[in-house]
Amino acid sequence: MTTQDPSLSRDGRKLECIFHPSSIALVGITSDPNNWMGQGFLKGLLEFGYGGKIYPINPKAGQILGLKAYPGVRDVPGPVDHVISLIPAPLTPQLIEDCGSKGVKVVHLFTAGFGETGDEEGKRLEAELLAVARRVGVRLIGPNCMGLHYYKSRITFGMGIPDEAKESGNISFLSQSGANAGNLLQMGSLRGLRFNKVASYGNAIDLNESDFLEHFTVDPDTEIIAAYVEGVKEGPRFRRALMKAAAIKPVIVLKGGRTVAGAGAASSHTGALAGNEEIWNALLKQAGAIRVYSMDELSDLLVAFCHLPPLRGRNVGVIGSGGGASVEAADICESAGLSVPPLPPEIRSQLREFTPVAGTSVRNPIDTTSMFLPQDISRTLELVASHTEVNSIIFHMELGLGIIQGPARAIVEMGREVIIETAKRLHKPLVVVLAYGGSSQGISVFTETKDRYIKSGLAVFPSIERAALAVSRFISYHETRKSA
Amino acid sequence: MTTQDPSLSRDGRKLECIFHPSSIALVGITSDPNNWMGQGFLKGLLEFGYGGKIYPINPKAGQILGLKAYPGVRDVPGPVDHVISLIPAPLTPQLIEDCGSKGVKVVHLFTAGFGETGDEEGKRLEAELLAVARRVGVRLIGPNCMGLHYYKSRITFGMGIPDEAKESGNISFLSQSGANAGNLLQMGSLRGLRFNKVASYGNAIDLNESDFLEHFTVDPDTEIIAAYVEGVKEGPRFRRALMKAAAIKPVIVLKGGRTVAGAGAASSHTGALAGNEEIWNALLKQAGAIRVYSMDELSDLLVAFCHLPPLRGRNVGVIGSGGGASVEAADICESAGLSVPPLPPEIRSQLREFTPVAGTSVRNPIDTTSMFLPQDISRTLELVASHTEVNSIIFHMELGLGIIQGPARAIVEMGREVIIETAKRLHKPLVVVLAYGGSSQGISVFTETKDRYIKSGLAVFPSIERAALAVSRFISYHETRKSA
């Protein structure tokens, strides 16, 4: 791909090559160590352990973070595969010319200040940039974006990301927003999600949403596709790509700019034309893609897909502590489209053998107010799971100030290990809801507890609302698959 | 009130006396220091600094937590005003007899195992209990509840509650659920809410929701009324009480048991008959009360009422970081019924004087990606507030892993102080959304930041969804007031 390959955009397999750069030049990287953002991409690559050649490009040359810098791309002695542009927008057409001469395949433009500004000059510059790129045979990612993250190549836009985000996984994410790409990578990884490829593509003047969607569809390591899209460059192509993708993999889509104000913001953000809400709804429904309405919902659905087996039945056993919390959990589950069926008398009486009568309920929701003994937690989970009509179990806990106190903390920790162990032999999927209602002092106990649940592979949600909604949509997806 | 006073239930003012017990006996309190729950009520009273006499009642007498214990209520040398019952349900009728002889005014039954069990014996016991109480002239709170919390009398059911929950305030909360009462007191106080009276009343066989609602309506220190209700004992009376309360004070109601499963759970919890959803909707609407659907929403609305001035206009200025996050914020605000109007050109050009063109937006939502200087934050807030059509401002931030790193942490801390200072002179209400997306290591920086915002008196929410919904409902309340 040293010259423009028009088939690249039409065959998802061919896009693989852009995720395997053998050398990267960072053009416009600052030599100022106090410029935290300006050195971020380089720091990210070094932290991630990128194995190819890295060339900092800076007019002053010298050394940057221990690497020899060059005044221009054309001054680099060896070949340059991939360029990250950090220079101001007006300088980018000349950069693309230079990249063409140097045989660069792809330029990722972190550089912003093009069509998204809304002014004529930005739009003109964008057109010029694309014309030069087409002429000299360079493909563009962006402008106004964070570019690529891929475990196998150790390329990333993430700086200071947690170790979890450096592991490989089965999710690929195409995101018109760079911050959303970074946030899902970082926050999602802390929720137990693992990523294969992440592509932030911004204004999408060359490679666009359809390119990445087509690639993720045929990419064998991508099992789940997530997308944040503000606007679509090629409507009919995107429609075909979405139909094809959703036919073989779960595709979860957050459409940014669904309201008048949101569409205006999308236009300022990536110059996107947001399109009509009804058309989007019809398209996503027809394709069998899952629509979500916030990044939190996107990450919740991914947690369900990654940590739960396919679920078709809507009956949940709801176990938790507190009468009011149990009533609320039942109300929220049913409002979200789940069902909380009463347990049959024989299971209730078995629960009653060890559950005190006063201040508890064994009907479903199960209110375990007085249930402190590990064997009781385990037995309760098993008995609820034994009901053939229960398809999954939601265990909800709210940890409060008490957890920093000795006995309560020990109970939380003991209960946690029992729940994790029991979940392994349950034969019914377990969803854990873990909320925190205490003060700053107790928060580290809470986060340790949450991390332990997540690391054990359980689906963990921060509220019963979010758990119920994600589980219900997850079931809807499998119901649609079944009937299709 | 040494004998049954039938007018107590019909005149809200008279209920004041039950919140001022001059002495309290805890019947059935354990002498086992390892029984964390069993000594909780006593620990709570001691921590809170209750000034009246406290009498632990335990068959073994001796000393409990340094206080002389007595074998029975009738063995206490001085008068006993208020009794907290921790003994098993079957023993409670005799206790009430004894309390009658001793001249006890009120018995709060933490004891559960009555009508909520659903069995005949529980119901029979409940009827017996009430008959004895009526005969001997003792009023009952509960059974199956946590009882009362009141700052002025230093009475509480809270053990190990944060210091913030021990301060006095303008909210009174009637809650059929004890855990909900405790959670709002604890979690709400950490969000900056301050409480006057909290009453957890459980099965409500004697004093019920109408009694507490009528009392809070006339109580001069109660400015805002919150209610968690599963069922209503006296329909017409409750209707009148609600109309009267909501006519003069904001009343925020969470109705537990709005679905079939939730109603079943409510019946197991407090024996409540949940009633018809349509009737509830009509009643709350007619009264002008605000309906919420979860404890989180209840606490969000209270934050709005306590930390925002009355708001009638729906136009918000939305300021935050990240293009995708800004698009999402605009979408969520408009979906929640708020409006995010574009700023006029003159304000946009003033914002542009210091906001770099690339990667930002000054349209509204304002994307401040590159805005790091304190004076820029301050100026942005002032300029957005200067637009006459903007009624309030939402500033949203997501703190991530970066905040534990030196420069980013300093920026967060500096920005925080500037925002707090600027808010004081803005003349437009400021809502702060503070989310966390980092790992356990950074969480304490996040909670410190959040606590600082809360302590400065700002309305702080954990997500843009929750902020937008609460602000929109808060505005609806004031719109209704205005038109009424």
Side-chain angles (χ1 to χ4, degrees):
Chain A
M1 198 180 67
T2 51
T3 57
Q4 181 81 7
D5 177 357
S7 74
L8 182 78
S9 297
R10 306 292 152 173
D11 181 344
R13 275 176 297 265
K14 295 208 176 169
L15 208 68
E16 181 68 32
C17 62
I18 74 161
F19 287 93
H20 295 271
S22 56
S23 55
I24 300 175
L26 297 112
V27 179
I29 184 169
T30 174
S31 56
D32 176 5
N34 295 319
N35 190 329
W36 188 62
M37 285 294 287
Q39 295 194 332
F41 282 99
L42 179 50
K43 283 182 182 161
L45 290 170
L46 295 172
E47 278 176 19
F48 204 18
Y50 172 67
K53 292 267 189 193
I54 305 179
Y55 304 110
I57 308 293
N58 183 294
K60 293 180 212 148
Q63 287 234 333
I64 297 179
L65 292 176
L67 294 171
K68 181 172 164 54
Y70 298 88
V73 171
R74 298 175 67 173
D75 303 311
V76 172
V80 175
D81 218 18
H82 184 104
V83 160
I84 300 176
S85 163
L86 307 158
I87 59 177
L91 307 179
T92 53
Q94 182 57 49
L95 171 66
I96 305 299
E97 291 277 5
D98 293 350
C99 288
S101 320
K102 184 69 185 170
V104 171
K105 291 175 187 160
V106 177
V107 176
H108 150 219
L109 294 123
F110 172 70
T111 306
F114 293 88
E116 82 281 5
T117 59
D119 61 30
E120 284 313 308
E121 175 53 19
K123 283 175 196 158
R124 195 202 56 72
L125 208 53
E126 209 167 80
E128 183 188 345
L129 196 68
L130 184 61
V132 176
R134 289 263 150 91
R135 175 162 51 76
V136 302
V138 168
R139 299 306 303 255
L140 305 178
I141 302 170
N144 185 22
C145 70
M146 296 298 282
L148 309 177
H149 170 97
Y150 181 35
Y151 169 78
K152 282 193 185 160
S153 301
R154 300 291 194 284
I155 53 169
T156 191
F157 47 75
M159 32 201 138
I161 56 173
D163 288 341
E164 291 87 340
K166 295 173 187 162
E167 296 174 6
S168 73
N170 58 352
I171 302 166
S172 286
F173 181 37
L174 60 117
S175 174
Q176 196 152 9
S177 157
N180 284 359
N183 282 356
L184 188 68
L185 177 64
Q186 172 165 316
M187 296 172 56
S189 70
L190 296 171
R191 294 189 70 186
L193 305 177
R194 294 295 178 268
F195 294 86
N196 181 41
K197 287 167 179 162
V198 180
S200 152
Y201 62 89
N203 296 13
I205 65 171
D206 180 17
L207 292 173
N208 63 33
E209 56 288 336
S210 297
D211 291 291
F212 293 105
L213 184 56
E214 287 166 359
H215 174 62
F216 294 162
T217 304
V218 296
D219 177 31
D221 294 330
T222 298
E223 288 170 12
I224 302 161
I225 300 172
Y228 172 74
V229 180
E230 293 183 352
V232 159
K233 290 285 170 178
E234 302 172 82
R237 181 181 168 202
F238 183 74
R239 187 178 169 282
R240 283 193 305 274
L242 189 67
M243 300 290 287
K244 211 167 160 185
I248 57 169
K249 295 178 184 183
V251 181
I252 307 162
V253 179
L254 172 59
K255 167 67 181 69
R258 61 192 158 89
T259 63
V260 172
S267 168
S268 302
H269 180 215
T270 56
L273 293 172
N276 179 296
E277 256 301 277
E278 281 170 34
I279 293 173
W280 271 96
N281 270 333
L283 171 62
L284 293 170
K285 194 178 169 189
Q286 197 195 357
I290 301 160
R291 183 168 192 180
V292 292
Y293 295 89
S294 69
M295 286 299 290
D296 283 345
E297 289 182 11
L298 178 61
S299 122
D300 289 342
L301 252 297
L302 289 170
V303 166
F305 272 98
C306 291
H307 298 299
L308 295 176
L311 259 178
R312 289 200 179 92
R314 296 193 166 270
N315 289 345
V316 289
V318 177
I319 305 174
S321 215
S326 294
V327 171
E328 182 171 313
D331 278 339
I332 287 170
C333 285
E334 294 225 328
S335 297
L338 301 174
S339 195
V340 188
L343 293 175
E346 59 277 17
I347 294 181
R348 286 196 225 184
S349 58
Q350 284 174 276
L351 284 164
R352 274 286 172 233
E353 285 169 19
F354 58 90
T355 311
V357 172
T360 67
S361 174
V362 294
R363 190 178 182 272
N364 193 22
I366 316 296
D367 171 8
T368 60
T369 300
S370 313
M371 191 182 72
F372 282 128
L373 300 171
Q375 65 268 33
D376 292 350
I377 299 178
S378 183
R379 192 89 187 96
T380 301
L381 281 166
E382 284 163 356
L383 280 167
V384 174
S386 76
H387 183 32
T388 47
E389 286 180 26
V390 160
N391 307 108
S392 64
I393 296 174
I394 298 182
F395 199 114
H396 61 102
M397 285 164 273
E398 174 155 314
L399 305 184
L401 197 77
I403 62 168
I404 57 171
Q405 295 172 354
R409 179 173 180 163
I411 289 162
V412 165
E413 285 170 1
M414 207 162 55
R416 181 187 71 198
E417 297 308 314
V418 169
I419 290 169
I420 289 169
E421 275 312 303
T422 310
K424 290 178 190 163
R425 53 169 198 273
L426 263 194
H427 306 301
K428 293 275 166 85
L430 179 66
V431 169
V432 173
V433 174
L434 206 56
Y436 184 64
S439 68
S440 308
Q441 298 136 277
I443 192 107
S444 63
V445 181
F446 166 72
T447 54
E448 279 162 30
T449 301
K450 190 181 66 176
D451 290 351
R452 175 79 184 96
Y453 276 112
I454 290 169
K455 290 210 165 89
S456 78
L458 287 170
V460 179
F461 297 88
S463 72
I464 188 84
E465 283 95 335
R466 286 175 58 177
L469 192 61
V471 169
S472 180
R473 285 184 182 160
F474 181 64
I475 295 168
S476 297
Y477 174 81
H478 290 291
E479 284 170 347
T480 313
R481 294 285 103 177
K482 195 186 182 184
S483 64
Chain B
M1 196 179 66
T2 52
T3 58
Q4 180 80 7
D5 176 357
S7 73
L8 182 76
S9 299
R10 306 292 151 173
D11 180 345
R13 275 175 296 265
K14 295 208 177 169
L15 208 68
E16 181 68 32
C17 62
I18 74 163
F19 286 93
H20 295 271
S22 55
S23 56
I24 300 175
L26 297 112
V27 179
I29 184 170
T30 175
S31 56
D32 177 5
N34 295 320
N35 189 328
W36 188 62
M37 285 292 287
Q39 295 194 331
F41 282 98
L42 179 51
K43 283 182 183 160
L45 289 170
L46 295 173
E47 279 176 17
F48 203 19
Y50 172 66
K53 292 268 187 190
I54 305 179
Y55 303 110
I57 309 293
N58 183 292
K60 293 179 212 151
Q63 287 234 333
I64 297 178
L65 292 177
L67 294 171
K68 182 173 165 50
Y70 298 88
V73 171
R74 297 175 67 173
D75 303 311
V76 172
V80 175
D81 218 20
H82 184 105
V83 161
I84 299 175
S85 163
L86 308 157
I87 58 176
L91 307 180
T92 53
Q94 183 57 51
L95 171 66
I96 306 299
E97 290 277 3
D98 293 350
C99 288
S101 318
K102 183 70 184 171
V104 171
K105 291 174 189 162
V106 176
V107 176
H108 150 219
L109 294 123
F110 172 71
T111 306
F114 293 89
E116 82 281 3
T117 59
D119 61 31
E120 285 311 308
E121 176 53 18
K123 283 175 197 158
R124 195 202 56 71
L125 208 53
E126 208 167 80
E128 185 188 345
L129 196 67
L130 184 61
V132 176
R134 290 264 148 92
R135 175 161 52 75
V136 302
V138 168
R139 299 306 303 254
L140 305 178
I141 302 170
N144 185 24
C145 70
M146 296 298 282
L148 308 178
H149 170 96
Y150 181 35
Y151 169 78
K152 283 194 185 161
S153 302
R154 300 290 195 284
I155 54 170
T156 192
F157 46 75
M159 33 201 137
I161 56 174
D163 289 341
E164 291 87 341
K166 294 172 187 162
E167 296 174 5
S168 73
N170 58 352
I171 303 166
S172 286
F173 181 37
L174 59 117
S175 174
Q176 196 151 9
S177 157
N180 284 359
N183 282 355
L184 188 67
L185 178 64
Q186 172 165 316
M187 297 172 56
S189 69
L190 295 170
R191 293 189 70 187
L193 306 178
R194 294 296 178 267
F195 295 87
N196 180 40
K197 288 167 177 161
V198 180
S200 152
Y201 62 88
N203 296 13
I205 65 171
D206 181 16
L207 292 173
N208 64 33
E209 57 288 337
S210 297
D211 290 293
F212 293 107
L213 183 56
E214 287 166 1
H215 175 60
F216 294 163
T217 305
V218 296
D219 177 30
D221 294 330
T222 298
E223 288 170 12
I224 302 161
I225 300 171
Y228 172 74
V229 180
E230 294 183 350
V232 159
K233 290 287 171 177
E234 302 171 81
R237 181 182 168 201
F238 183 73
R239 187 178 170 282
R240 283 193 305 274
L242 189 66
M243 299 290 288
K244 210 167 159 183
I248 57 169
K249 295 177 183 183
V251 180
I252 307 162
V253 178
L254 172 59
K255 167 66 181 69
R258 62 191 158 89
T259 63
V260 172
S267 167
S268 301
H269 179 215
T270 56
L273 294 171
N276 178 296
E277 257 300 277
E278 282 170 34
I279 292 173
W280 270 97
N281 270 333
L283 171 62
L284 293 171
K285 193 176 170 191
Q286 196 195 359
I290 301 160
R291 184 167 192 181
V292 292
Y293 295 89
S294 69
M295 286 299 290
D296 283 346
E297 289 182 11
L298 178 61
S299 121
D300 289 342
L301 252 296
L302 289 170
V303 166
F305 272 98
C306 292
H307 298 300
L308 295 175
L311 258 179
R312 289 198 181 93
R314 296 192 166 271
N315 289 346
V316 289
V318 177
I319 305 174
S321 215
S326 295
V327 172
E328 182 172 313
D331 278 339
I332 286 170
C333 284
E334 294 224 329
S335 297
L338 301 174
S339 194
V340 188
L343 293 176
E346 58 277 17
I347 295 180
R348 286 197 225 182
S349 57
Q350 284 176 275
L351 284 164
R352 273 289 171 232
E353 285 170 18
F354 58 91
T355 311
V357 172
T360 67
S361 173
V362 294
R363 190 179 182 271
N364 193 22
I366 316 297
D367 172 8
T368 61
T369 300
S370 314
M371 191 182 71
F372 282 130
L373 299 172
Q375 65 268 34
D376 292 351
I377 298 179
S378 183
R379 192 89 186 97
T380 301
L381 281 166
E382 284 163 356
L383 281 167
V384 174
S386 75
H387 183 33
T388 47
E389 285 179 26
V390 161
N391 307 108
S392 64
I393 296 175
I394 298 181
F395 199 115
H396 61 102
M397 285 164 272
E398 175 155 313
L399 305 183
L401 197 77
I403 62 167
I404 57 172
Q405 295 172 355
R409 179 173 180 163
I411 289 162
V412 166
E413 285 170 1
M414 207 162 55
R416 182 187 70 198
E417 296 308 314
V418 169
I419 290 168
I420 289 170
E421 275 312 304
T422 310
K424 290 177 190 164
R425 52 167 198 273
L426 264 193
H427 306 300
K428 294 275 167 85
L430 179 66
V431 169
V432 173
V433 174
L434 206 57
Y436 184 65
S439 68
S440 309
Q441 299 135 276
I443 191 105
S444 64
V445 181
F446 167 72
T447 54
E448 279 162 30
T449 301
K450 190 180 65 175
D451 291 351
R452 175 78 184 98
Y453 276 112
I454 290 169
K455 290 212 165 89
S456 79
L458 288 170
V460 179
F461 296 88
S463 72
I464 188 84
E465 284 95 335
R466 287 176 57 177
L469 193 61
V471 169
S472 180
R473 285 183 180 161
F474 181 64
I475 295 168
S476 297
Y477 174 80
H478 289 291
E479 284 171 346
T480 313
R481 293 286 102 177
K482 195 186 181 185
S483 65

